[in-house]
Amino acid sequence: MLGFVTQQQIKAVIPAAGLGTRFLPATKAMPKEMLPVVDKPAIQYVVEEAVDAGIDDVLVIIGRNKNAIANHFDSVPELEVKLMEKGDTGRLERVVKSTDMGDIHYVRQGEPKGLGHAVLRARTHVGDSSFAVLLGDDLIDARDPLLTTMLDKHRETGATIIALMEVDPDSIHMYGAAAVEETGTDGFVKVTGLVEKPAREDAPSNLAVIGRYVLPPAVFDILERTEPGKGGEIQLTDALQELAADADGPGVYGVVFGGRRYDTGDRADYIKAIVQLAADRDDLGPELRPWLKEFAERL
Ligand code: UTP
């Protein structure tokens, strides 16, 4: 049974051990989570989001090419000295920020047997507490906070909390889809069932599961016995379905997210993320925005 969980106890788990086949050959020697989104790798945005939500212990699940991620969050004294000598305080600040983000730990997945399998690798580190999972290639715009709301809802209810987003019914086959009931609170629904990557006609709704979860430790026992599902992978969605079906447990609830989200594991979405984030920035926007307008007119 879940205890009352304080923000301090919550750890974040960031699975980043997938093969990233949609980005080959860029991801042949580099995890997709290290692809730059403007001037930071995608995973740094995700770690920053966890830290901004008050979490100071982050476990990254790494696969092959693990060193790139661990090196990124390590300090590089010679680089810092060089920037200091040049008086480049802006860049120095940005470099130091990437090494100064709470406690980051790493565990290997070994073989990429699916998201459920990656989450199970966090068991020893997380122990008997609830924890947050943030997918390393799924960016939530810092201007539209989601994780904080999810942690608050978890604290209020003790339930599993997932993030949902309305998608075009033609796209639901790329996500987990949720069957839901209203709770009476806007943007907060009870999840009664989940299906991984359903055909449009089999989808219970057009509410797609996106890459943020607040999970109870009970999910580990379920994942231990979850058989490979869709795509031959151990699916987190299948374990969530079991939590949702457990009439004696606290259940599964969804926070319906209406903000800006970028799936950087998808090539078109990755490009959109870079364009949108760069165009909104004070340092790059003034140059980019007029160019984008002119470019759009030429299309
Ligand atoms: P994806 O399904 O988007 O990742 O997993 P993928 O398999 O690497 O992508 P493609 O389809 O081959 O391009 C969602 C998240 O779960 C992680 C991924 O790194 C990504 O952050 N993941 C997935 C793991 O950590 N381990 C796995 O076995 C599978």
Side-chain angles (χ1 to χ4, degrees), residues 215-268:
L215 302 175
V219 77
F220 292 128
D221 277 343
I222 299 174
L223 285 169
E224 292 275 10
R225 55 183 150 74
T226 301
E227 296 288 335
K230 202 106 194 184
E233 297 193 337
I234 297 174
Q235 298 287 356
L236 182 60
T237 306
D238 293 343
L240 292 171
Q241 162 61 27
E242 204 173 315
L243 284 168
D246 176 10
D248 300 325
V252 177
Y253 288 82
V255 171
V256 182
F257 182 62
R260 288 158 282 194
R261 168 201 176 244
Y262 316 99
D263 175 6
T264 64
D266 174 81
R267 287 172 303 171

Side-chain angles (χ1 to χ4, degrees), residues 18 22 121 130 287:
R22 283 168 290 173
R121 298 290 296 125
S130 297
E287 182 178 342

Side-chain angles (χ1 to χ4, degrees), residues 208-220:
V209 180
I210 57 171
R212 298 295 178 271
Y213 312 80
V214 182
L215 302 175
V219 77
F220 292 128

Side-chain angles (χ1 to χ4, degrees), residues 57-74:
D57 184 307
V58 174
L59 176 72
V60 183
I61 315 293
I62 46 180
R64 63 198 179 93
N65 309 322
K66 59 178 177 126
N67 292 341
I69 295 179
N71 288 346
H72 176 73
F73 291 110
D74 253 3

Side-chain angles (χ1 to χ4, degrees), residues 15-22 32-33 109 112-115 118 135-137 265:
L19 290 177
T21 52
R22 283 168 290 173
K32 67 174 164 182
E33 289 78 5
Q109 189 182 2
K113 293 185 188 166
L115 178 57
L135 298 194
D137 60 350

Side-chain angles (χ1 to χ4, degrees), residues 13 22 50 58 104 111 129 154-155 165 181 202 215 223 237 291 298-299:
V13 174
R22 283 168 290 173
V58 174
I104 306 186
E111 256 182 275
S129 306
H154 173 70
R155 255 177 248 113
M165 195 163 182
E181 284 170 3
D202 301 329
L215 302 175
L223 285 169
T237 306
W291 178 83
R298 281 189 271 133
L299 288 178

